[in-house]
Amino acid sequence: HETTEGRRQQIAQKLSSAEQARNEQLANVRGRAQGVNDKVSQAQAAHQASIESRRAEIGSKLDEAGRRRDEQLESTKNRASASAQKVARAGIEKQNMDQERRTNIEKKLEKAAYSRFQSLGARKAKAAEQSDKVNHVQEELEKQSSKRRESIDNKLRIAESLREQAIDEKKARAIRESERVAQHQADLQRSTEQQLSDLQAKLDGADA
């Protein structure tokens, strides 16, 4: 009877040790699975932060390009305005000239007026040409800005697609790892149950 009782205690101890080992293995497997999930979450957060940083950088560059374009347009407009003011001042000076001097040098003034007329015509033509250049520059800048925006949008779409693809791949790996862990748990469960069954059979044999 004492021998049977001792064997029962040994078997019970083995069962307890096997159960403890199985629990430790399950805990280790759960820990590894949690680690994989944490890594996936960290990778997603880091990639999202990188996308946001890139968007902010691109927005800053667009603002700077717009500012330079506005400065160029303003400079061109100022030059055209200065030229027009010179033409206006020349006309005012002509009207305010002394009448007596006009009488004495009428022929010279007629000749000078003809020359000035030609000069004014040339200046007006130049002002019109500069105005056309301003419009052309503005159109070119708008086209370039539109192209940059389209290029940036395409790059952002590609980056977003790559990010989603990377996330899907990481999720797939995590699912495969979880399935492997679940299979390992099932194998451990079957192994433990088999050991318990064998020990129980031995115990029943000892009692008999």
Side-chain angles (χ1 to χ4, degrees), residues 47 51 55 153-169:
H47 188 71
I51 290 296
R55 284 178 177 170
D153 289 340
N154 289 334
K155 290 180 179 178
L156 288 175
R157 284 194 293 270
I158 292 173
E160 185 66 18
S161 177
L162 291 175
R163 183 184 72 83
E164 292 178 355
Q165 183 178 356
I167 291 173
D168 291 339
E169 290 177 355

Side-chain angles (χ1 to χ4, degrees), residues 1-195:
H1 179 71
E2 292 180 355
T3 300
T4 301
E5 184 63 29
R7 290 181 64 184
R8 286 181 177 178
Q9 291 178 356
Q10 290 177 355
I11 292 171
Q13 185 176 1
K14 289 180 179 179
L15 289 173
S16 177
S17 298
E19 182 66 20
Q20 183 177 357
R22 185 180 72 85
N23 291 334
E24 290 177 352
Q25 289 178 343
L26 290 175
N28 289 333
V29 170
R30 292 191 186 98
R32 288 196 299 272
Q34 183 63 39
V36 171
N37 291 333
D38 292 342
K39 288 179 180 179
V40 171
S41 298
Q42 291 174 359
Q44 290 176 344
H47 188 71
Q48 184 64 31
S50 176
I51 290 296
E52 294 299 329
S53 176
R54 181 59 178 163
R55 284 178 177 170
E57 180 182 353
I58 290 171
S60 177
K61 289 182 179 179
L62 285 176
D63 292 339
E64 180 63 20
R67 184 185 65 79
R68 289 197 298 268
R69 182 199 65 182
D70 293 340
E71 289 177 354
Q72 291 174 353
L73 290 175
E74 185 64 25
S75 176
T76 304
K77 289 179 180 178
N78 289 338
R79 288 196 298 271
S81 176
S83 179
Q85 289 176 0
K86 288 181 180 179
V87 173
R89 284 196 299 269
I92 292 173
E93 290 173 358
K94 178 183 176 182
Q95 293 175 0
N96 293 334
M97 292 181 63
D98 183 74
Q99 183 65 36
E100 184 179 355
R101 186 182 178 187
R102 289 183 180 179
T103 301
N104 293 332
I105 58 174
E106 182 176 1
K107 292 181 179 180
K108 293 182 179 179
L109 285 176
E110 288 176 356
K111 184 178 180 180
Y114 179 75
S115 298
R116 188 177 293 110
F117 176 78
Q118 289 181 330
S119 177
L120 289 175
R123 290 181 180 180
K124 289 181 179 180
K126 185 176 181 180
E129 182 181 357
Q130 289 179 342
S131 178
D132 291 338
K133 289 181 178 179
V134 169
N135 294 332
H136 179 70
V137 169
Q138 185 174 5
E139 290 176 357
E140 288 298 322
L141 289 173
E142 289 177 353
K143 289 179 181 178
Q144 292 176 4
S145 179
S146 177
K147 289 180 179 179
R148 290 194 191 98
R149 289 193 181 94
E150 290 178 0
S151 176
I152 290 168
D153 289 340
N154 289 334
K155 290 180 179 178
L156 288 175
R157 284 194 293 270
I158 292 173
E160 185 66 18
S161 177
L162 291 175
R163 183 184 72 83
E164 292 178 355
Q165 183 178 356
I167 291 173
D168 291 339
E169 290 177 355
K170 290 178 180 179
K171 287 182 178 180
R173 286 198 296 270
I175 292 172
R176 290 195 297 270
E177 180 65 16
S178 298
E179 292 175 350
R180 189 184 67 80
V181 168
Q183 182 62 40
H184 185 62
Q185 288 178 342
D187 293 340
L188 287 175
Q189 182 69 27
R190 285 193 297 272
S191 176
T192 301
E193 290 176 355
Q194 184 62 41
Q195 291 177 2

